[in-house]
């Protein structure tokens, strides 16, 4: 061990020193530790553990550690529902039935308890910001024209874009009302194969009833239920600050210029959706303009950070007499 500070705190102090270039005094003041402790971690160059390696404590677990860690990490970082996460008993039963594990359930329980504690520390906020970019999205509507059934019509596109990979997915809808908005998000989540951890929105009326003078928003009941159902955190731009979600706004313009010129032609809305989907998938094959890597590769990296889809889809509808 390197002292009494949690690993996340040690990591944050090192981040302030190396990335933010803060002095020892600034770090001590910001983190609430004394100067000597701040210097110890800020200028540390040897992070080897002083304790015995895990191999000595769990020799029979050595061949199964990677598999058990995979199950635990999937539960922790993909935020699976509590009732659908692995218990120590479930892990023991799977090891026995799937891998022929010959150890005791007590050994598995002890190892799982230790790793769950360690994973909670690793999952703290500073660690996520430094080591786990991606998995966040921005959403916005755009208007475009198309020819459907031989008739020129105006339609809306709801775009969900991912700044990390530059991937974008589109749902075509006739309106921007609450039902179309929520149905569009549901369809987009299913196209992505998961749910973003956080989504940035404008203060659109389909989600926001009002914005108070203190900046607090009153959300529609339907949108709140939808966000709880899919477990994402909604984030709203400050009024008149659309640049806070500039990625999706740029993507709306990009989609109109590149995927809707010339005007898309389709027999019906379903075919139009397929045409736009194909354009979005083809766009993933180009290089990311800043990272020099195929967007498809970055998207594959980002996809694993999405939350799992719920077992039951949300049904957006309105009852009227």
């Amino acid at each position: 061990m390197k002292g009494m500070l949690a690993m996340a705190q040690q990591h944050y102090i090192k981040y302030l020193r190396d990335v933010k270039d803060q002095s020892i005094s600034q770090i001590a003041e910001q983190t609430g530790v004394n100067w000597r402790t701040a210097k110890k971690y800020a200028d540390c160059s040897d992070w080897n553990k002083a304790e015995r390696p895990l191999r000595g404590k769990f020799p029979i677990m050595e061949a199964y550690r990677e598999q058990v860690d995979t199950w635990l990490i999937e539960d922790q970082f993909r935020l699976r529902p509590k009732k659908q996460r692995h218990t120590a008993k479930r892990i023991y039963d799977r090891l026995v039935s799937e891998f022929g594990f010959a150890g005791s359930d007590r050994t598995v329980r002890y190892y799982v308890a230790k790793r769950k504690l360690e994973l909670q520390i690793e999952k703290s906020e500073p660690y996520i910001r430094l080591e786990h970019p991606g998995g966040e999205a921005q959403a916005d509507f755009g208007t475009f024209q198309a020819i459907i059934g031989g008739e020129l019509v105006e339609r809306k596109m709801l775009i969900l874009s991912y700044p990390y990979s530059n991937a974008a997915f589109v749902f075509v809808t006739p309106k921007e009302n609450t039902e179309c908005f929520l149905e569009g998000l549901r369809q987009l989540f299913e196209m992505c194969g998961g749910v973003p951890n956080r989504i940035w929105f404008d203060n659109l009326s389909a989600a926001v009833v009002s914005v108070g003078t203190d900046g607090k928003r009153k959300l529609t009941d339907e949108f709140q239920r939808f966000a709880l159902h899919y477990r994402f955190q909604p984030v709203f731009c400050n009024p008149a600050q659309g640049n806070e979600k500039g990625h999706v706004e740029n993507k709306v313009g990009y989609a109109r210029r590149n995927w809707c010129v010339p005007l898309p032609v389709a027999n019906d809305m379903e075919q139009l959706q397929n045409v736009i989907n194909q354009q979005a998938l083809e766009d993933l094959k180009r290089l990311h303009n800043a990272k020099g890597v195929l967007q498809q590769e970055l998207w594959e990296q980002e996809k694993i950070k999405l939350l799992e889809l719920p077992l039951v889809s949300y049904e957006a509808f309105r009852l009227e007499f």
Side-chain angles (χ1 to χ4, degrees):
M1 296 288 290
K2 287 285 179 182
M4 298 303 294
L5 291 186
M7 181 57 66
Q9 294 173 289
Q10 299 176 31
H11 196 155
Y12 188 49
I13 289 173
K14 192 67 175 169
Y15 165 75
L16 293 176
R17 183 65 158 170
D18 293 347
V19 179
K20 294 298 185 180
D21 200 26
Q22 291 191 8
S23 67
I24 301 299
S25 298
Q26 289 173 317
I27 293 173
E29 181 178 357
Q30 182 166 338
T31 59
V33 302
N34 63 49
W35 190 91
R36 191 179 299 275
T37 301
K39 180 171 178 56
K40 174 183 177 181
Y41 295 113
D43 294 335
C44 179
S45 59
D46 182 6
W47 294 87
N48 287 299
K49 281 188 176 182
E51 62 180 356
R52 289 187 302 165
L54 190 60
R55 182 180 294 106
K57 293 184 178 180
F58 302 97
I60 198 168
M61 289 294 297
E62 186 62 29
Y64 308 97
R65 284 173 54 199
E66 183 175 351
Q67 181 58 64
V68 174
D69 284 2
T70 298
W71 290 334
L72 293 175
I73 288 170
E74 286 179 348
D75 285 351
Q76 291 279 355
F77 290 94
R78 299 198 72 183
L79 297 180
R80 284 181 173 152
K82 292 283 188 184
K83 294 181 180 179
Q84 291 178 248
R85 297 182 187 181
H86 285 83
T87 61
K89 182 181 184 306
R90 179 56 182 151
I91 288 176
Y92 171 74
D93 290 342
R94 288 192 66 179
L95 288 176
V96 172
S97 63
E98 298 175 29
F99 299 95
F101 179 69
S104 68
D105 63 339
R106 183 177 181 181
T107 299
V108 174
R109 286 201 307 270
Y110 186 70
Y111 177 79
V112 168
K114 185 175 187 300
R115 284 300 286 143
K116 280 186 175 181
L117 181 62
E118 292 168 348
L119 288 171
Q120 285 293 342
I121 294 173
E122 291 170 8
K123 192 183 173 185
S124 64
E125 186 68 17
Y127 183 88
I128 289 178
R129 286 184 178 175
L130 291 175
E131 304 295 339
H132 291 277
E136 295 189 3
Q138 300 177 4
D140 201 6
F141 277 106
T143 304
F144 72 105
Q145 290 185 332
I147 299 175
I148 302 179
E151 181 182 354
L152 178 65
V153 297
E154 186 175 272
R155 289 292 179 262
K156 304 291 183 179
M157 60 168 68
L158 177 61
I159 293 188
L160 190 67
S161 72
Y162 293 83
Y164 173 78
S165 62
N166 203 33
F169 299 85
V170 182
F171 179 72
V172 179
T173 180
K175 298 181 180 179
E176 292 187 19
N177 60 27
T178 299
E179 293 74 38
C180 291
F181 173 57
L182 298 184
E183 175 63 14
L185 285 177
R186 181 186 74 81
Q187 295 272 3
L188 289 167
F189 295 160
E190 293 180 4
M191 291 181 202
C192 299
V195 182
N197 298 274
R198 304 205 316 168
I199 308 177
W200 290 79
F201 301 95
D202 270 337
N203 297 289
L204 67 176
S205 59
V208 179
V209 176
S210 62
V211 181
T213 55
D214 58 357
K216 291 185 178 179
R217 290 158 180 80
K218 181 180 179 182
L219 305 181
T220 65
D221 291 343
E222 194 75 11
F223 179 75
Q224 290 185 79
R225 282 196 292 270
F226 182 86
L228 287 170
H229 188 87
Y230 285 98
R231 298 176 295 137
F232 66 86
Q233 179 188 353
V235 184
F236 294 92
C237 299
N238 292 313
Q241 294 294 321
N243 60 296
E244 293 177 346
K245 60 172 188 52
H247 186 269
V248 71
E249 293 191 349
N250 291 335
K251 189 64 76 172
V252 168
Y254 178 88
R256 270 197 296 251
R257 293 189 304 271
N258 294 275
W259 305 345
C260 300
V261 177
L263 297 184
V265 179
N267 295 324
D268 50 33
M269 283 283 284
E270 182 178 357
Q271 187 179 22
L272 177 61
Q273 180 69 60
N274 291 334
V275 169
I276 300 294
N277 284 351
Q278 188 59 40
Q279 296 271 23
L281 292 175
E282 285 294 321
D283 194 66
L284 287 175
K285 297 178 182 178
R286 64 188 178 96
L287 290 176
H288 190 285
N289 56 8
K291 300 176 181 178
V293 181
L294 284 178
Q295 293 177 166
Q296 180 68 55
E297 293 181 25
L298 295 172
W299 171 240
E300 292 300 326
Q301 296 171 18
E302 187 162 28
K303 251 195 337 188
I304 63 175
K305 296 171 182 146
L306 302 181
L307 306 176
E308 288 190 335
L309 291 166
L311 297 177
V312 178
S313 295
Y314 189 89
E315 294 185 22
F317 61 90
R318 177 186 302 176
L319 291 177
E320 294 183 349
F321 293 99

